[in-house]
Amino acid sequence: MLQTIPAFDRIGEENAFAVLARATALAAEGRDIVNLGIGQPDFSTPDHIVEAAVKALRDGHHGYTPATGLLATREAVARRTLALTGVEVSPENIMILPGGKPTMFAAILMFGEPGAEILYPDPGFPIYRSMIEFTGAKPVPVPIREANGFAFSAEETLSLITPQTRLLILNSPANPTGGVTPRAEIEKLVSGLERHPHVAVMSDEIYDVMTYDGEEHCSLLKFPEIRDRLIVLNGWSKTWAMTGWRMGWSIWPDGLYDKVRKLAVNCWSCVNAPSQFAGIAAIDGPQDDVEKMMHAFDRRRRIVVEGLNSLPGVSCVTPKGAFYAFPNISAIGWPAKTLANALLEEAGVALIGGPDFGVLGEGYVRVSYANSEENILRAIERIGDFLSNSQRS
Ligand code: PLP
């Protein structure tokens, strides 16, 4: 047996992909599966974006691009950032990467090592913890509580900072809870961070425009006092339904930009040109498809929350962002992953057990409403039938 370094035995993964594989296998056997497990929009990438990529290929853009991204793509990101946040960011601080994930990979690698502590949301996107473990740093969970509307608490976050803390990971709007942290809480956090200048911040804002009920996303970019230690992760995957294009961007402080550029040169070289032309078209082109998608998500969000709250033993906070609901199923009395598994195998409904997002996810499941209203209603009915049958038996 070949011996790899121990880090590879500590690396985790995203169970959503395993659930997707199982759901696909069951469907291939002829089972009717409603998939509420998946973390990607069920819409296609808008046509004008696809056309921009096709045109780029036809125009001969087949070669390497700069490791940091095409200047035109970085300028487009700068325009979008200014339009959305009112903050001017130089293209010299913007990286184009193959998806949102490489930014967390790079940021966690930069700060994680044995002896270091990295704070991350729990429940939260599973790759944060996995990558922290990979580096040998100590993962320190920041509890994300239902009682707080699944926003993070500035006070609790600040109380977990020690002299060993190197990086704080934030995510709002959040996966898996749909929580959006209000501006006042972020202001409190930023003002507390002034006492801890040794802590870098990675703010994962990939769901930035996916908010509801007038809730506004507050970007960490709005706080100049932490700009010299702030990394902002964002990308095309969710907003423009481009998960398979592998296109993300991030904003880095001067002191870190050259390090991430070098990592890119060593690892993925660059992002393919057609995707980057598509990315420009996404930012500069019409946003009607994004608006239509958000209207559809908003309608489904209401249906999902109402449906879940009508089920015995289930209570669901109304999510304010992203396209996930995170119902509390603790009153059912089943471990969340056992329930999720039984729902897939016996009721044909795929969703993800809360513990796949951290220990504090026990008692919850993640329901993605990136599926049709009809399928959402079918899923709720099936879950309802399953719960009444399992309570009877
Ligand atoms: N950050 C969060 C919070 C996510 O939910 C996801 C994807 O699910 C990502 C980052 C990664 O996005 P990408 O597919 O662009 O790598």
Side-chain angles (χ1 to χ4, degrees), residues 15-37:
N15 202 37
F17 284 105
V19 172
L20 177 63
R22 181 68 188 142
T24 309
L26 287 172
E29 286 168 18
R31 292 275 309 275
D32 175 26
I33 306 292
V34 182
N35 195 343
L36 304 185

Side-chain angles (χ1 to χ4, degrees), residues 14 39-40 98-102 104 125 128 171 173-175 204 206-207 233-238 242-243 246-248 324 366:
E14 237 188 296
Q40 67 179 341
K101 270 181 187 166
M104 57 186 89
F125 190 57
Y128 305 143
N171 175 219
N175 179 6
D204 182 342
I206 202 154
Y207 296 101
L233 180 160
N234 210 321
W236 284 264
S237 295
K238 315 288 173 172
M242 292 176 71
T243 50
R246 307 315 299 139
M247 274 279 283
Y324 310 108
R366 187 190 79 174

Side-chain angles (χ1 to χ4, degrees), residues 17 19-20 27 35 71 113 122 124 127 144 204 220 227 230 232 235 246 257 261 270 284 286 323 328 334 360 379 382:
F17 284 105
V19 172
L20 177 63
N35 195 343
L71 178 61
E113 62 177 337
D122 181 344
I127 300 305
I144 304 295
D204 182 342
L220 270 286
R227 274 295 289 285
L230 174 68
V232 176
R246 307 315 299 139
Y257 190 73
R261 180 192 65 76
C270 61
D284 290 342
F323 41 78
N328 186 327
W334 288 44
L360 291 173
R382 288 183 187 187

